[in-house]
Amino acid sequence: MAGKGEATRARLIDEAMRLVAVRGLAAVSLADVAAAAGVSKSAVLKHFQSKEALQAELVEAMIERFTERVWRPAEGLAPGRERLDRIAELELDWVDGQDRPGGCPLMAAAAELDDQPGPLRDVLKASQLRWARVIRREFRTLYPDLDEAALDARVFQYKGMVLSYSHSKRLLDDATARAHARAAYRALVPAAG
């Protein structure tokens, strides 16, 4: 069982993640996190000595949460079609952000950090490259005869489907976004595949 300090730290991370998913990393202050969690700013500073320390731990927590919500439920399934189908649905669920406002905090952080060199970008980039390798591996299992360029194109199209879903659902309020994403996925991974 987690102690009070660990529980408070976890609550601070949760609140920071909710705020960041809506407002971005740079826009969220320690005072904002304190107010959202109902604690003093000094309580936040007790757990995170600076905004940069909070941001670093927050990016790691976002990556871990994505892994727990998207990869772990699919990991035990058969490689290839079964696993990839599950990953696709879980990743769309993750974008929906049913457990938090603002959708995918990793997408929010990526949009903010893509042109900002530094350790946060490096950690986020490494995680996204690892995820692309996972998706690539599943496509390789499904399509063992594809050449490397065609395989890379499938991964690119998959990532594009997820990003398009986020844009259509979250920005455009498109009620048909999920149906379109599923259709795009089915075109990318036909039933015969």
Side-chain angles (χ1 to χ4, degrees):
M1 184 170 173
K4 184 179 177 184
E6 291 175 38
T8 300
R9 186 180 191 87
R11 192 169 89 244
L12 293 172
I13 288 289
D14 285 345
E15 292 301 334
M17 195 176 304
R18 283 183 189 76
L19 293 169
V20 165
V22 174
R23 295 171 41 196
L25 281 166
V28 175
S29 69
L30 295 176
D32 294 331
V33 174
V39 300
S40 67
K41 184 178 174 185
S42 63
V44 177
L45 282 168
K46 178 181 172 188
H47 292 278
F48 309 99
Q49 289 65 46
S50 66
K51 181 177 178 177
E52 292 76 20
L54 173 63
Q55 289 174 333
E57 194 159 329
L58 184 56
V59 169
E60 292 286 353
M62 288 187 280
I63 294 164
E64 180 58 32
R65 189 145 318 156
F66 175 86
T67 301
E68 288 302 317
R69 300 263 166 77
V70 178
W71 172 245
R72 294 279 183 260
E75 184 178 20
L77 299 175
R81 180 63 190 249
E82 184 180 8
R83 187 183 286 163
L84 195 55
D85 286 355
R86 184 74 175 131
I87 286 170
E89 283 299 315
L90 290 168
E91 194 158 6
L92 296 179
D93 288 346
W94 171 259
V95 169
D96 286 344
Q98 295 167 345
D99 65 334
R100 68 199 174 280
C104 177
L106 293 169
M107 282 186 196
E112 187 173 352
L113 297 173
D114 61 357
D115 291 321
Q116 296 183 28
L120 290 178
R121 182 185 187 277
D122 294 345
V123 168
L124 185 59
K125 178 181 175 182
S127 79
Q128 295 302 293
L129 289 171
R130 279 192 307 272
W131 185 240
R133 285 192 300 270
V134 167
I135 299 301
R136 189 178 202 282
R137 183 185 67 220
E138 298 308 319
F139 274 111
R140 172 56 73 209
T141 299
L142 193 57
Y143 300 108
D145 298 328
L146 277 183
D147 63 43
E148 296 302 308
L151 188 64
D152 289 340
R154 295 261 178 167
V155 174
F156 189 87
Q157 290 170 318
Y158 175 87
K159 292 189 304 184
M161 179 267 302
V162 174
L163 290 168
S164 292
Y165 174 68
S166 178
H167 176 78
S168 293
K169 172 142 189 193
R170 304 203 65 80
L171 180 65
L172 303 180
D173 299 318
D174 182 354
T176 65
R178 188 73 170 229
H180 290 301
R182 285 179 174 146
Y185 177 75
R186 284 191 305 274
L188 183 61
V189 185

